Amino acid sequence: MYRIDLNCDMGEGFGPFRIGEDHELMKHITSANIACGFHGGDASTIRSSVKLALKYNVAIGAHPGLPDMAGFGRRKMDISAQEAYEMTVYQLGAVMAFAQSEGGRVAHVKPHGALYNMAAVDPKIANAIAEAIYKVDGTMLLYGLSGSELIRVGERIGLKTMNEVFADRSYEDDGTLTSRDIEGALITDSSVAAAQVVSMVKTGTVHSRLGGLLQLKADTVCVHGDSPGALNHIIELKKTLHESGIRIVKAGE
């Protein structure tokens, strides 16, 4: 039977500012990637996100990003491998402490934004992130772009990895995500997004923005919580997956 984990980036507001419909989204997903305070999130938001995930039996994940709140962690920064390692360890500690204090645990780690894209192609950054996760808790799952350098390095280090695909993003011919600066990078039609996911799960393929056919593995699918219409995306996606005979299951189950 076909199966897929459904994850969403969450807890990315801070203070009085809220991004996305986390309370509604959490009811429909199996894994939550919780911002750790660098690109979004703060102590109160992390705690409330952890509690919400536990309420709905959603796997808790840490979502470490670059220290760029103004740019939402989506602007590339010139960082060293050591800095990537240290900022990953630091951010994991924040979410792990809140999870433990509320009676839960962090099940997975997924880098955010520019850090995610950098790790997808840069072996040194990928190795630093994977090493940080392994040394903190080698039982945590590593979420990375399907077939990317981060997945390859994570497997080599000894982590269990989850090849991630995207419902609401388009792909380039090299398998990377289309830059958000390019028209067509974001998929806004929920039916198109759902059809893309079904293709990736059942055939292991997806068409790139320019029409090429890419081969990939789909273990988990992401819908960005801050995307316009994210809730509609997820509701339509769940419906389409069910009709297509694809089970939505929590990673590792």
Side-chain angles (χ1 to χ4, degrees):
M1 180 178 287
Y2 297 104
R3 50 195 286 154
I4 191 81
D5 169 59
L6 176 54
N7 78 75
C8 190
D9 302 341
M10 312 188 88
E12 294 179 311
F14 59 93
F17 304 105
R18 293 290 173 261
I19 295 177
E21 300 176 81
D22 286 9
H23 279 79
E24 289 302 314
L25 291 168
M26 197 74 81
K27 299 175 183 179
H28 299 282
I29 63 175
T30 48
S31 298
N33 318 309
I34 298 174
C36 308
F38 272 31
H39 76 276
D42 56 19
S44 178
T45 306
I46 294 172
R47 185 184 182 209
S48 62
S49 299
V50 165
K51 292 176 71 174
L52 195 61
L54 291 172
K55 177 180 178 180
Y56 290 106
N57 191 30
V58 171
I60 297 169
H63 196 37
L66 295 173
D68 180 22
M69 191 78 78
F72 201 61
R74 287 179 174 154
R75 299 183 293 193
K76 185 176 180 181
M77 297 176 66
D78 184 13
I79 62 171
S80 67
Q82 179 177 327
E83 288 172 316
Y85 174 90
E86 291 167 350
M87 67 177 63
T88 300
V89 172
Y90 185 96
Q91 292 178 83
L92 290 187
V95 180
M96 290 178 74
F98 277 111
Q100 184 176 343
S101 69
E102 297 295 337
R105 65 175 294 270
V106 173
H108 68 276
V109 182
K110 173 190 167 180
H112 165 81
L115 184 61
Y116 181 96
N117 293 329
M118 291 160 63
V121 297
D122 187 328
K124 291 182 179 179
I125 297 298
N127 188 80
I129 293 171
E131 184 182 2
I133 297 167
Y134 187 81
K135 286 186 175 180
V136 170
D137 181 353
T139 68
M140 291 189 292
L141 300 171
L142 170 61
Y143 285 34
L145 183 66
S146 184
S148 67
E149 192 65 33
L150 183 58
I151 292 292
R152 287 189 287 271
V153 168
E155 291 175 345
R156 186 171 70 243
I157 284 179
L159 292 169
K160 293 181 180 179
T161 60
M162 295 288 287
N163 285 273
E164 183 178 40
V165 297
F166 289 82
D168 54 5
R169 296 293 303 277
S170 66
Y171 288 79
E172 296 299 287
D173 286 339
D174 63 357
T176 60
L177 298 178
T178 302
S179 170
R180 288 174 177 266
D181 297 330
I182 297 175
E183 184 176 355
L186 301 180
I187 298 174
T188 57
D189 187 319
S190 296
S191 62
V192 173
Q196 173 166 288
V197 176
V198 170
S199 174
M200 291 188 286
V201 174
K202 284 197 163 184
T203 71
T205 63
V206 66
H207 282 95
S208 72
R209 178 179 60 90
L210 300 177
L213 189 64
L214 308 176
Q215 303 286 329
L216 44 67
K217 183 180 180 184
D219 298 319
T220 183
V221 57
C222 173
V223 173
H224 289 92
D226 70 302
S227 293
L231 184 58
N232 288 334
H233 272 354
I234 285 183
I235 291 173
E236 178 68 22
L237 178 56
K238 287 181 66 179
K239 175 177 174 288
T240 304
L241 290 175
H242 176 72
E243 293 173 347
S244 303
I246 301 171
R247 288 182 61 207
I248 300 174
V249 296
K250 191 183 297 185
E253 293 186 354

